[in-house]
Amino acid sequence: MKQVIDPRTERLDRKIKLLAGGPEPLCAYLYDLTELRRHARRLMAALPSFCELFYALKANSEAPFAGALAGIVHGYEAASAGEVRIARSLSSQLPVVFGGPVKTDAALEEALSLGVRHIHVESRHELIRLSLIAQRSGMVVPVLLRVNVSGTLPDATLFMAGGQTQFGIDEQLVPEVIEEALLLKGIRLDGFHFHSVSNNLNEERHLELVRHYCGLVKAWATRFGLEIRYVNSGGGIGVNYADLTRQFDWERFAEGLDKRIRPLMPDGAKLMFECGRFIAASSGAYAAEVVDVKSSHGNDFVLLRGGTHHFRLPASWGHSHPFRIVPIDSWSYPYARPEHVSTHVTVVGELCTPKDRLAKEAFIERVRVGDVLLFPYAGAYGWAISHREFLSHPHPLHLYADDNGWLGTKQELEEENAK
Ligand SMILES: *Cc1c(COP(=O)(O)O)cnc(C)c1O
């Protein structure tokens, strides 16, 4: 999908200029809820009617952000009982599905009491446990069995299947677990769940993956006479951090679904997607002010108020995150402003570890102490995965904009909502 340079860039820069240059260096997450809704509506509009798009909460479960998707996406995917609770607090209506490799009895009980649409079951033991729990409350729980497929998978950054992982049930064991499921009184087997890759950037390969899933489902459905309601192909659609102008072409993918996947689906079944990164990434940015610049052993460093304890994504994926520089004019010290000019820099944060690195070998025309670095595509797996208490530095601000301009901070919005 082509990423258009948004006119909202200007409002972002204006906001940063307003906030920077104060006594405390700026450090903030800036979220654009208008952009988030526009993007999600666009994904939904392209999707064929036999498909459903759920939002995987773990990418960013902050209430103002995740809540902005209620009424647009088909539902929420929760990876813990805590996320089921969040989903329910965001919408009492939207369907919620619940998965994860380790589900305690208490978590399963709570998910049932909060009314999830179905549960993704990841082992035979979990299936039997869930059946007992359901029977205790006189319920029959709809489940999808999560499958760890055999064989090669398309290139991606992380793999949750196709090899030795803790996720799901190995493909060759699935038939015996189906047989078990058909005997259990508390279980209704509604279909299968596959979430095999993360950050796949190629539409064609993703279609190939879904096609492969459909083949497996067809074979099991025929062999066991199953009535399939859902085939969940998981998330894993990627964001191209290395070249922001070349993103996964969702429209082309959706066309492929309609033409090539629809005929392979069991009658009446829905094909689900539960995307986190692809929905959330583009609508968040992380901004951090330059507090120092230095050169060390021939390498130029830019040191930020902030770092990987707020924005762990570049460290966790080992990538250099793209950024742009928002120049800030004010300078209040009585000496020349330190700067780097026309050089490649390593961008680091305030932690006492060389691993606190956000970007490397990044060419800059000019960066000065007091300028702000803005890291786009920080809306997914940014704050959510960060070890924010490490070193006890202050947290960043969390600012939200919508059609009416900039809203309050996260704290203010939550207080507003609680009233
Ligand atoms: C994390 C996760 C997702 C979302 O993955 P993205 O790569 O963010 O789309 C979906 N389903 C499951 C089971 C997950 O664990």
Side-chain angles (χ1 to χ4, degrees):
M1 183 186 300
K2 200 152 164 289
Q3 286 296 321
V4 185
I5 301 291
D6 208 277
R8 295 184 194 92
T9 304
E10 208 198 324
R11 106 167 146 184
L12 197 59
D13 284 24
R14 240 185 292 126
K15 183 70 173 175
I16 288 170
K17 287 183 177 178
L18 267 179
L19 294 167
E24 285 300 320
L26 173 64
C27 180
Y29 269 100
L30 299 110
Y31 298 110
D32 190 330
L33 303 179
T34 305
E35 166 61 19
L36 176 63
R37 291 193 190 99
R38 185 199 64 74
H39 177 58
R41 283 200 186 95
R42 181 173 166 189
L43 303 184
M44 292 289 289
L47 210 56
S49 59
F50 74 100
C51 298
E52 291 184 332
L53 178 61
F54 278 53
Y55 174 57
L57 275 172
K58 79 171 187 285
N60 184 337
S61 62
E62 299 292 325
F65 190 89
L69 292 165
I72 300 177
V73 294
H74 286 107
Y76 290 116
E77 189 262 348
S80 68
E83 284 191 353
V84 175
R85 249 175 274 137
I86 292 174
R88 275 288 161 260
S89 73
L90 298 176
S91 162
S92 53
Q93 304 295 317
L94 269 191
V96 178
V97 297
F98 175 39
V102 177
K103 304 186 199 73
T104 63
D105 286 5
L108 291 168
E109 275 161 17
E110 183 167 12
L112 293 185
S113 74
L114 290 170
V116 296
R117 183 174 85 179
H118 59 247
I119 294 184
H120 300 143
V121 168
E122 304 224 7
S123 79
R124 177 173 175 272
H125 169 54
E126 185 185 305
L127 185 73
I128 302 170
R129 250 184 331 120
L130 178 59
S131 180
L132 289 175
I133 291 167
Q135 280 178 280
R136 276 206 296 272
S137 356
M139 296 169 85
V140 176
V141 201
V143 307
L144 309 190
L145 296 181
R146 181 169 182 180
V147 181
N148 180 344
V149 294
S150 310
T152 14
L153 295 169
D155 294 341
T157 314
L158 288 179
F159 292 97
M160 272 69 65
Q164 299 170 344
T165 77
Q166 67 271 50
F167 304 108
I169 301 159
D170 272 6
E171 184 182 318
Q172 66 271 23
L173 298 177
V174 169
E176 58 191 74
V177 181
I178 294 173
E179 281 174 352
E180 183 96 48
L182 295 176
L183 297 174
L184 291 169
K185 298 253 180 328
I187 297 292
R188 188 184 80 199
L189 181 56
D190 271 1
F192 297 90
H193 174 250
F194 305 83
H195 172 70
S196 308
V197 297
S198 186
N199 215 38
N200 183 23
L201 294 171
N202 185 295
E203 313 80 64
E204 201 49 48
R205 292 207 201 101
H206 217 79
L207 284 168
E208 193 48 38
L209 202 58
V210 177
R211 194 191 59 75
H212 183 65
Y213 298 158
C214 287
L216 292 173
V217 172
K218 258 279 167 60
W220 290 323
T222 307
R223 174 165 164 198
F224 294 100
L226 306 175
E227 188 191 329
I228 303 293
R229 292 182 174 83
Y230 302 103
V231 177
N232 186 338
S233 63
I237 292 174
V239 161
N240 188 355
Y241 298 104
D243 180 358
L244 297 177
T245 63
R246 290 182 47 212
Q247 299 297 345
F248 187 95
D249 191 336
W250 178 262
E251 276 77 11
R252 220 184 113 201
F253 177 65
E255 213 181 290
L257 290 175
D258 205 31
K259 293 213 175 88
R260 287 150 56 190
I261 305 297
R262 188 196 287 273
L264 307 177
M265 286 288 291
D267 284 345
K270 292 276 189 198
L271 176 63
M272 293 177 63
F273 296 91
E274 40 182 32
C275 294
R277 187 183 314 277
F278 192 62
I279 293 178
S282 57
S283 307
Y286 177 60
E289 193 168 318
V290 179
V291 175
D292 212 339
V293 297
K294 64 172 76 165
S295 298
S296 162
H297 294 267
N299 195 5
D300 292 330
F301 286 85
V302 175
L303 293 86
L304 304 176
R305 151 69 184 118
T308 55
H309 52 325
H310 299 160
F311 183 43
R312 200 168 77 87
L313 177 69
S316 103
W317 288 56
H319 76 205
S320 178
H321 206 86
F323 63 89
R324 64 188 173 83
I325 298 167
V326 183
I328 304 299
D329 292 332
S330 66
W331 173 251
S332 58
Y333 299 98
Y335 50 88
R337 200 167 167 182
E339 64 177 16
H340 285 313
V341 178
S342 293
T343 184
H344 289 86
V345 294
T346 300
V347 178
V348 300
E350 59 198 346
L351 302 181
C352 307
T353 160
K355 290 187 176 170
D356 188 15
R357 190 178 68 194
L358 300 171
K360 60 180 177 187
E361 289 159 29
F363 183 78
I364 52 97
E365 291 289 353
R366 186 183 204 199
V367 64
R368 304 163 301 176
V369 170
D371 286 341
V372 171
L373 265 49
L374 187 73
F375 298 85
Y377 283 79
Y381 306 110
W383 180 242
I385 64 164
S386 299
H387 45 302
R388 54 197 71 173
E389 297 309 329
F390 185 43
L391 264 79
S392 299
H393 284 294
H395 289 180
L397 291 169
H398 294 262
L399 303 164
Y400 295 86
D402 73 1
D403 292 339
N404 302 314
W406 289 96
L407 311 169
T409 62
K410 182 176 84 174
Q411 290 78 0
E412 286 164 355
L413 289 179
E414 280 171 3
E415 276 161 28
E416 194 64 33
N417 281 341
K419 273 179 204 160

